[in-house]
Amino acid sequence: MKLNLRQIEVFRAIMLSGSISGASKLLFVSQPAVSRLISYTEQRLGFTLFERIKGRLYPTPEARRLFTEVTTLYQSVQRVNEVAENLAENRDGQLRLSCSPSLGQSLLPRAIAAFRRRYPEVRVVLQTLIPSVMLQSLLSQQVELGVAYMPVDHPSLATIPLYENKIVAALPSDHPLSTRESVTMAELAKEPLIGYSPDIPFGMLTRNMFGGPDQQPEPVVEVQQAHVACALVQASAGVALVDEMTVKGPVWTDVVTVPIVDTVNVPVNVFHLQLEPMSRLAQEFVRVLRALDAGWRPRHTGNPKKNDEHEPTD
């Protein structure tokens, strides 16, 4: 290689300042050091870069042509530094996320809104996916983070726990059980139940809460997703078992939630590739998700008048 970066730097400094002394001041080195290096550079190149005429230094046509390329190089270096600075300040880039459909109507909109307030120049791409499709999107790196409340199991994935996310009873506001401090599964089994398909994980989980096969109530309506169950409760079609995060999504008017005795949790987790370091943006988004917990406590609604819903903090 005829030129290294130090030689290019000295050549550029002379071109900009017009003299050896000016270059030495720009680079904070001695004038003899600049003279020696530019002489060595000319030897390496095989042609003269500067000629001294009446005590002044003038660049040759070859030097002017070379300076055009050096200027382009420095602009590229400057762009690299700008990108590095933007990355350090999270001012640039794109964050690709996936979540389960219910969280796409509850947790993720609030988290993304809080994240965008901090980093308005970052583009966020959100996909709502069932767990099996989310797994493939994570493994193929189509998304960087997945957020779900049902397991996404694979040895290549790491799990970051977020919230406990208890299962509660969703009831019409005028239902006799709506003013109770808590209800039992046996009491809910006697009500018209909006249930879930038994071949999905959430459906299997809620069926197990009722007990054995002889204790299973027959749903009056069967759905695939918890937010659909909430909409049916809102329409007074029955009662449903839902997770807290789903209820904390859209404002379900005329719907109250009551804690269930001996309930179970459907923890909300973040999933990412085990051996792939998370980007700074992904790490920031996880921090935003965790910060939401401080201002987003479960809505205890034994009585509709006691609702105290808090907006998440960021």
Side-chain angles (χ1 to χ4, degrees):
M1 184 169 63
K2 292 182 179 293
L3 290 176
N4 59 35
L5 291 177
R6 182 57 175 172
Q7 291 169 314
I8 292 174
E9 184 179 34
V10 169
F11 168 70
R12 178 176 178 269
I14 297 174
M15 291 293 293
L16 291 175
S17 63
S19 66
I20 297 294
S21 60
S24 69
K25 292 177 181 178
L26 283 176
L27 300 175
F28 300 100
V29 296
S30 67
Q31 292 185 36
V34 173
S35 295
R36 285 194 299 269
L37 187 56
I38 202 63
S39 295
Y40 175 73
T41 301
E42 289 178 328
Q43 292 175 16
R44 294 281 295 170
L45 291 173
F47 56 82
T48 302
L49 292 172
F50 300 97
E51 293 184 2
R52 188 174 293 276
I53 303 174
K54 295 183 179 180
R56 294 188 59 183
L57 210 60
Y58 291 90
T60 64
E62 291 80 8
R64 295 187 186 279
R65 175 68 183 87
L66 189 62
F67 184 63
T68 301
E69 298 302 320
V70 168
T71 300
T72 301
L73 172 63
Y74 266 77
Q75 289 173 346
S76 298
V77 171
Q78 185 178 12
R79 176 57 184 159
V80 170
N81 285 326
E82 289 174 356
V83 170
E85 185 177 352
N86 287 337
L87 290 172
E89 299 295 330
N90 292 316
R91 294 197 300 250
D92 193 13
Q94 176 174 276
L95 181 62
R96 301 186 69 88
L97 309 169
S98 62
C99 70
S100 54
S102 293
L103 293 180
Q105 296 198 20
S106 53
L107 175 64
L108 266 295
R110 296 189 179 197
I112 290 173
F115 180 80
R116 290 269 304 129
R117 285 194 290 273
R118 296 184 183 184
Y119 310 110
E121 297 181 23
V122 175
R123 180 171 182 259
V124 179
V125 178
L126 175 64
Q127 301 178 5
T128 53
L129 306 170
I130 61 175
S132 60
V133 180
M134 181 185 297
L135 171 61
Q136 294 304 315
S137 293
L138 287 165
L139 295 178
S140 62
Q141 296 185 297
Q142 296 178 48
V143 298
E144 186 172 2
L145 298 178
V147 187
Y149 60 69
M150 296 305 293
V152 182
D153 294 321
H154 194 278
S156 296
L157 293 185
T159 302
I160 303 174
L162 287 179
Y163 315 113
E164 287 185 346
N165 194 32
K166 298 180 184 297
I167 293 183
V168 296
L171 309 166
S173 59
D174 58 355
H175 193 281
L177 297 177
S178 65
T179 58
R180 296 276 296 275
E181 290 297 318
S182 63
V183 295
T184 65
M185 294 302 297
E187 290 173 315
L188 294 175
K190 300 175 184 177
E191 301 296 328
L193 180 69
I194 299 163
Y196 302 92
S197 174
D199 59 352
I200 62 174
F202 194 72
M204 291 185 282
L205 181 64
T206 54
R207 286 172 67 87
N208 289 338
M209 291 178 66
F210 284 104
D214 57 337
Q215 298 172 293
Q216 296 295 321
E218 187 67 28
V220 296
V221 182
E222 184 177 288
V223 298
Q224 296 283 325
Q225 297 167 345
H227 64 272
V228 178
C230 283
L232 287 164
V233 172
Q234 187 177 43
S236 297
V239 304
L241 300 177
V242 299
D243 65 286
E244 293 172 327
M245 287 296 172
T246 295
V247 182
K248 295 295 290 187
V251 178
W252 301 106
T253 56
D254 300 322
V255 174
V256 297
T257 59
V258 177
I260 300 173
V261 177
D262 298 324
T263 191
V264 299
N265 298 334
V266 279
V268 176
N269 299 307
V270 176
F271 302 93
H272 65 94
L273 285 179
Q274 178 83 44
L275 301 179
E276 186 74 19
M278 285 196 298
S279 68
R280 290 170 59 88
L281 290 177
Q283 295 176 43
E284 287 298 317
F285 190 76
V286 172
R287 278 191 276 270
V288 168
L289 283 168
R290 283 176 165 162
L292 290 179
D293 188 40
W296 190 344
R297 297 302 180 186
R299 177 171 55 184
H300 181 164
T301 51
N303 186 321
K305 296 182 180 179
K306 295 181 181 179
N307 284 2
D308 185 20
E309 183 173 358
H310 297 279
E311 287 297 319
T313 58
D314 60 338

